[in-house]
Amino acid sequence: MTPDDALKAPITEVAAAIRAGRLSSADLVARCIENIEARDGALKAFVHIAGDALDQARRCDDAARSGASTGPLHGIPIAIKDNYLTADMPTTAGTAAQIAFPLEDGAAVARLRAAGAILIGKTRMHEFAWGMETPPTTNPYDETRVPGGSSGGSGAAVTAGFCLAATGSDTGGSIRIPASLCGNVGFKPTFGRIGRSGIVPHSWSLDHAGPLARNVADAALLVDIMSGHDPKDAGSAEAGPTDLSAALTQDAKGLRVGVCRNHFFEALDPQVERAVENTIALLGRLGATVVEFEVRELQYGLGAIFAIELSSSTAYHLPHLSAGRVDAYAPDVRLLVEMGRLVTGSDYLQAERYRTLLGRRFREVFANVDVVVGPTMPITAWRIGQKEVVLGGKTEAVLETSWRFTYPWNLLGLPAITVPCGFDDGGLPIGFQIAGAAFDEASVVRTASLVERHTAS
């Protein structure tokens, strides 16, 4: 196996080749660094490259020659979003403010290291995980367009062959949005499935950790490795690691696929709609039962998540507000942090009451279906600097449009994945979103793998 072959192969095959001596981890990491040097000047996906990445890789090669294995990620270069604390690389959370984040590994990073990963660098993010664009990062498919946010650097790095996978965080769609726009797989498991200690907080009850990867198998593997109880995270689930490998090869027999016709199919680009409808029809042809339904309560979701996100983000930033450090924040982020002060206690309480109501409604839904599917986003990647989009004859702010289909699964803490399902006429990727019941990542992965296998053939 050559390094270029490895950039297209599943991680399990690449790690096996490194352990068997058929591929050098050092050669693979060197190839990733060559790709970074050749293209990251334009893409700007990284804020820091690990100075010892090649040394890490050589140690993996030495271990392989002696018959030792460091784990399922033996010698695999993984990029880390800049809000994950790392012991050997600085963390800035995308801000120019002078905030000293600890030099230590968070829970998810420690699990990646223990599995043998080479941490190749830190990826750029929209400041403090706000925003949908990740400036100045650009989209590998079209460098005049955004990669999405807030994990835009991770999305761009995976697509450009700078690493084999990357970490992200997702509060309203920040894993799935860049994965959709950059044409890769983004997986947000159930709230609490992956521990968040050592990840700079954005909104305590909405934040999820997860991977961006080149294929469903790699994303599932990363979730298996990163998941497990984290005693330092008060929101961590009392659950052990997942094992999603069996779900990758299951067929569609008996699978119940839900399609929520309101909200998720309102005001979207016709090319996105066509690709998604074709994918739903594909699942039906493969043997899945398609169940259509509506959840009218979704119309109130945007106000609820914004109240929760604004107030909880501002609570985290209060010490920086008091110390005057917000002067260094980007204008869009500072405005949002300041706005959180305007959310009243009754506003927050009403939002949480709504979240409980919506959760009850979707528990009823998931009693009758295994997954809910639809478009990840209403649009494909928009141009850098574009502020509005016209959908169905109505002009909308890009910010409002971009997370409309992703944020409900953050409000509910349910697992959701995006997988590519086609391209628009401009060659930009379209994402297909699959959500499941709490802690049923297996059904999500099963469906995503079916889509991937049969849309690629």
Side-chain angles (χ1 to χ4, degrees), residues 142-387:
D142 181 343
E143 292 171 10
T144 69
R145 296 178 183 268
V146 303
S150 64
S151 310
S154 291
V158 171
T159 298
F162 296 166
C163 54
L164 271 65
T167 64
S169 61
D170 192 312
T171 303
S174 289
I175 289 172
R176 290 158 290 151
I177 290 169
S180 179
L181 298 188
C182 293
N184 46 55
V185 176
F187 192 2
K188 175 193 80 66
T190 306
F191 180 81
R193 174 70 84 180
I194 296 175
R196 299 166 304 165
S197 66
I199 300 176
V200 178
H202 176 57
S203 177
W204 181 87
S205 67
L206 298 170
D207 291 348
H208 298 63
L212 294 88
R214 301 163 303 161
N215 55 62
V216 175
D218 289 357
L221 175 64
L222 268 289
V223 167
D224 284 345
I225 290 166
M226 296 165 71
S227 65
H229 180 62
D230 177 4
K232 294 182 179 179
D233 174 8
S236 179
E238 293 284 350
T242 59
D243 182 359
L244 299 171
S245 56
L248 295 166
T249 56
Q250 290 179 309
D251 62 24
K253 184 178 180 180
L255 181 66
R256 301 169 301 168
V257 175
V259 179
C260 184
R261 282 297 173 190
N262 71 298
H263 185 83
F264 293 102
F265 287 84
E266 296 169 354
L268 66 160
D269 184 283
Q271 295 182 64
V272 172
E273 184 174 21
R274 183 166 56 251
V276 169
E277 293 288 7
N278 288 342
T279 306
I280 294 170
L282 167 67
L283 289 169
R285 290 195 301 273
L286 292 173
T289 299
V290 177
V291 180
E292 298 196 0
F293 64 94
E294 293 188 353
V295 176
R296 286 295 162 191
E297 294 87 344
L298 281 165
Q299 64 185 302
Y300 307 110
L302 183 60
I305 193 170
F306 215 39
I308 295 168
E309 185 175 9
L310 281 170
S311 56
S312 53
S313 176
T314 300
Y316 169 74
H317 288 280
L318 275 176
H320 307 310
L321 286 162
S322 301
R325 286 190 287 267
V326 295
D327 290 345
Y329 289 15
D332 61 329
V333 173
R334 178 172 180 177
L335 175 63
L336 291 164
V337 169
E338 297 275 12
M339 280 176 60
R341 292 171 157 177
L342 304 178
V343 179
T344 66
S346 59
D347 292 334
Y348 186 88
L349 178 60
Q350 288 290 78
E352 290 291 0
R353 290 178 65 191
Y354 165 81
R355 175 151 56 170
T356 300
L357 171 66
L358 190 65
R360 185 180 306 123
R361 182 71 180 88
F362 269 97
R363 282 193 294 276
E364 296 170 358
V365 167
F366 282 111
N368 298 302
V369 302
D370 300 302
V371 293
V372 174
V373 304
T376 307
M377 300 185 66
I379 55 176
T380 53
W382 57 96
R383 294 192 180 278
I384 294 169
Q386 181 179 344
K387 301 300 181 186

